[in-house]
Amino acid sequence: MADFGLYEYQEEVVQRALRGDNIIIWLPTGGGKTRAAVYVAKKHLENNPGAKVAVLVNKVHLVDQHYNKEFKPYLGRDYSLVPISGDCDQKDFFGCEVKNSDLVICTAQILENALTNQEEGKHVELSQFTLLIIDECHHTHKEGVYNKIMRRYVAQKLKGERRLPQILGLTASPGTGGAKSIKGAVEHVLQICANLDSVIVSSKVYAPELKKKVPRPRKRFDIVDRRPQDPFGDHLKFMMQFIHDFMALGPDFPVREFGTQEYEADVVILEKKGVTDRNRLLAQCSLHLRQYNDALLINDTVRMVDAFRVLESYYSTKSSTAMDGTDFFLLGLYQENKVELRKLAGDARFENPKMGKLQNTLLEQFDQGEHSRGILFSKTRKSTHCLYDWVSNNPALQRAGIRAAILTGAGNGINYMTQNEQKDTIRKFRLGSLNLLISTSVAEEGLDIPECNLVVRYGLLTNEIAQQQASGRARASDSVYSVVAQAGGREVRRELLNECLEDLTGRAIGEVQRMEPREFQMKITDLQKEALLTRQLTEQLKSKKKSRFSAAMVQLSCRGCFVLVAFGNDIKVIENAHHVNINPDFERYYHTGGKIPLKTFEDWESGRVISCAACGKQWGMEMVYKKIALLPILAIENFAMETPEGRKLAKKWKDVEFTVKEFNFNTYCSNKFPNMFD
């Protein structure tokens, strides 16, 4: 193995995989799990004629990273390799690519789509692969896409299917699954092993070498005192109390402290109650209170002006859609207080002290030399944009040579990035033209930047897995892992708890590894049978729920103004994903806005935003299907359902209690264009 460049601890952990066993490799971030997996893949391809390997990742940018930095340099000369992600054409012919390649690297969702798609050239079976490598395999639980794939695997195994691929999972930490006792943590680790049908291995003999090779960054808490005065936040709370008085909730609805996640949960419940009770005053006041609470949270995280801008942006669209006394009260309250809020937000005496501490933390590292590189983690897309604006307009940080960019998850909307934008940002960071990423959790896992010498966690409350992943991004020697937090705040308490949970994870894994093989296998099989039975029962309940009401008996009303706009049987589903309204009369109920910037897909492209004509509530967007059919895609969370048993809400279409039939393009065309086939 010396010519491959493996360390002895890596050689130690791959031994069982080389014998064909299903294993999970547990090594810390930076310990070379991917390199070990490349070696296993190489030996597997050499020793098994006709072998076929799939490498599954959970983030789009990891497809190219693993292909270019790991698999192609070591396997590209002798084997046919192909990287496939959601923004490349090969995904549309995944079955053909698998047939013509020795190894594919893809996002797990692409494999899951291919397993369910029966179309020739797109469909694959698990039995076509001989080795499945699952990166960040601790995500193989609940309804995650890894677990959907492995459920098929386990179900086939329990039926006696022999032609199944070998499994190789990679993780820096399986975590404790929320358990705080050794018993619960052991149960969680066993469940992950059962889901992956694997044993978990780690370095024992060469653990000292591993510790030396993967030094941990120097961790420190950069603590700031609480704001002595916060007149901007106090004024927001005064306005929130004014709204509560207007709502006249009474003692039956106690709410928690303004400016907290707990209060946000309270107003979410109040809004749902308002909608289901047809109480528009309660529903709308709750929505506005959530915006004020968001502003308080932003005020606590970044600058006062950022919080003010969030409110200003929200209310800029409200005046044109006000429809009753509740709307006019809420709009008037903001308008009456806007000047005072702007004035308070601009008073530097009361600025967030965390910003000064963050500035010092960044300057301390970037003033040391031009080769510094760091990642600043924040909770939300909104806060990353606020922090980027602050860094870009901060003279001291600009003089220090900080060249920042945002890295957030891919998706639709103004604060999302495209997959190509993600790749371009990471490439520039690797090359050094950017030296600070301001990121959400998308950069916690797998991002390999050896030169990164600073990780800052700012305003974050996450679990022990995310903490370890983020810490592992600081790879350079003498690197720093900083937690910028308020004295006595929840962030510090959570970090300290995570350290305890990290230790608990290690002890739980140790207990699992010390089990007798027969005992371990019995526990794993029992867990697999239990999970299969639970899944079957869940599917039966879902099927029963789907047929609770006839689609014709359900009406959809706008969640913003309660106007009835559609029947359930107007809704059809395209490609098991896009729920559209095919009733031509529906267009009179909505207005269209700006075009949503999405790339063109195989059979459809995005159109304009659609919103309720009466109240302005955003409903979804248009799609142009097969270049002919202009159809409105609806998000069910923006509607209430009027059923024979009362008004109901659903977050996702999978939760509705009526059957949505498949869209028939030919029937649609013959109805829309009756003379088309004459």
PDB file of all heavy atoms in Angstrom, residues 141 172 180 316 358 442 444 543 552:
ATOM      1  N   HIS A 141     -30.451   7.638   7.865  1.00  0.00           N
ATOM      2  CA  HIS A 141     -31.467   7.448   8.895  1.00  0.00           C
ATOM      3  C   HIS A 141     -32.748   8.172   8.505  1.00  0.00           C
ATOM      4  O   HIS A 141     -32.762   9.016   7.610  1.00  0.00           O
ATOM      5  CB  HIS A 141     -30.966   7.922  10.270  1.00  0.00           C
ATOM      6  CG  HIS A 141     -30.748   9.395  10.358  1.00  0.00           C
ATOM      7  ND1 HIS A 141     -31.507  10.228  11.141  1.00  0.00           N
ATOM      8  CD2 HIS A 141     -29.845  10.204   9.737  1.00  0.00           C
ATOM      9  CE1 HIS A 141     -31.081  11.478  11.016  1.00  0.00           C
ATOM     10  NE2 HIS A 141     -30.079  11.478  10.171  1.00  0.00           N
ATOM     11  N   ALA A 172     -17.213  10.882   9.903  1.00  0.00           N
ATOM     12  CA  ALA A 172     -16.368  11.433  10.962  1.00  0.00           C
ATOM     13  C   ALA A 172     -17.034  11.267  12.313  1.00  0.00           C
ATOM     14  O   ALA A 172     -16.361  11.292  13.345  1.00  0.00           O
ATOM     15  CB  ALA A 172     -16.080  12.911  10.703  1.00  0.00           C
ATOM     16  N   LYS A 180     -28.568  11.178  25.362  1.00  0.00           N
ATOM     17  CA  LYS A 180     -27.607  11.744  26.319  1.00  0.00           C
ATOM     18  C   LYS A 180     -27.150  10.692  27.339  1.00  0.00           C
ATOM     19  O   LYS A 180     -26.490  11.023  28.316  1.00  0.00           O
ATOM     20  CB  LYS A 180     -28.217  12.952  27.032  1.00  0.00           C
ATOM     21  CG  LYS A 180     -28.481  14.124  26.081  1.00  0.00           C
ATOM     22  CD  LYS A 180     -29.003  15.342  26.807  1.00  0.00           C
ATOM     23  CE  LYS A 180     -29.091  16.550  25.882  1.00  0.00           C
ATOM     24  NZ  LYS A 180     -30.064  16.384  24.812  1.00  0.00           N
ATOM     25  N   SER A 316     -42.588  46.659   2.281  1.00  0.00           N
ATOM     26  CA  SER A 316     -42.607  47.393   1.008  1.00  0.00           C
ATOM     27  C   SER A 316     -43.661  46.847   0.050  1.00  0.00           C
ATOM     28  O   SER A 316     -44.109  47.540  -0.861  1.00  0.00           O
ATOM     29  CB  SER A 316     -41.227  47.333   0.347  1.00  0.00           C
ATOM     30  OG  SER A 316     -40.921  45.994  -0.012  1.00  0.00           O
ATOM     31  N   LEU A 358     -16.207  39.827  16.395  1.00  0.00           N
ATOM     32  CA  LEU A 358     -15.982  39.094  15.147  1.00  0.00           C
ATOM     33  C   LEU A 358     -14.916  39.783  14.309  1.00  0.00           C
ATOM     34  O   LEU A 358     -14.030  39.129  13.738  1.00  0.00           O
ATOM     35  CB  LEU A 358     -17.293  38.983  14.361  1.00  0.00           C
ATOM     36  CG  LEU A 358     -17.214  38.294  12.995  1.00  0.00           C
ATOM     37  CD1 LEU A 358     -16.689  36.870  13.126  1.00  0.00           C
ATOM     38  CD2 LEU A 358     -18.595  38.288  12.322  1.00  0.00           C
ATOM     39  N   VAL A 442     -23.822  24.159   4.539  1.00  0.00           N
ATOM     40  CA  VAL A 442     -23.441  23.464   3.309  1.00  0.00           C
ATOM     41  C   VAL A 442     -21.942  23.193   3.260  1.00  0.00           C
ATOM     42  O   VAL A 442     -21.488  22.227   2.643  1.00  0.00           O
ATOM     43  CB  VAL A 442     -23.899  24.262   2.062  1.00  0.00           C
ATOM     44  CG1 VAL A 442     -23.083  25.535   1.885  1.00  0.00           C
ATOM     45  CG2 VAL A 442     -23.796  23.412   0.800  1.00  0.00           C
ATOM     46  N   GLU A 444     -20.026  22.591   5.958  1.00  0.00           N
ATOM     47  CA  GLU A 444     -19.550  21.848   7.136  1.00  0.00           C
ATOM     48  C   GLU A 444     -18.977  20.497   6.758  1.00  0.00           C
ATOM     49  O   GLU A 444     -17.999  20.046   7.334  1.00  0.00           O
ATOM     50  CB  GLU A 444     -20.708  21.654   8.133  1.00  0.00           C
ATOM     51  CG  GLU A 444     -20.994  22.871   8.976  1.00  0.00           C
ATOM     52  CD  GLU A 444     -22.219  22.685   9.851  1.00  0.00           C
ATOM     53  OE1 GLU A 444     -22.943  21.689   9.685  1.00  0.00           O
ATOM     54  OE2 GLU A 444     -22.448  23.566  10.693  1.00  0.00           O
ATOM     55  N   SER A 543     -51.269   5.214   2.609  1.00  0.00           N
ATOM     56  CA  SER A 543     -52.176   4.873   1.517  1.00  0.00           C
ATOM     57  C   SER A 543     -53.629   5.090   1.935  1.00  0.00           C
ATOM     58  O   SER A 543     -54.447   5.620   1.170  1.00  0.00           O
ATOM     59  CB  SER A 543     -51.943   3.418   1.113  1.00  0.00           C
ATOM     60  OG  SER A 543     -52.803   3.058   0.076  1.00  0.00           O
ATOM     61  N   ALA A 552     -62.705  15.585  -5.432  1.00  0.00           N
ATOM     62  CA  ALA A 552     -63.776  16.517  -5.797  1.00  0.00           C
ATOM     63  C   ALA A 552     -64.459  17.115  -4.569  1.00  0.00           C
ATOM     64  O   ALA A 552     -65.133  18.146  -4.664  1.00  0.00           O
ATOM     65  CB  ALA A 552     -64.803  15.804  -6.671  1.00  0.00           C
TER      66      ALA A 552
END
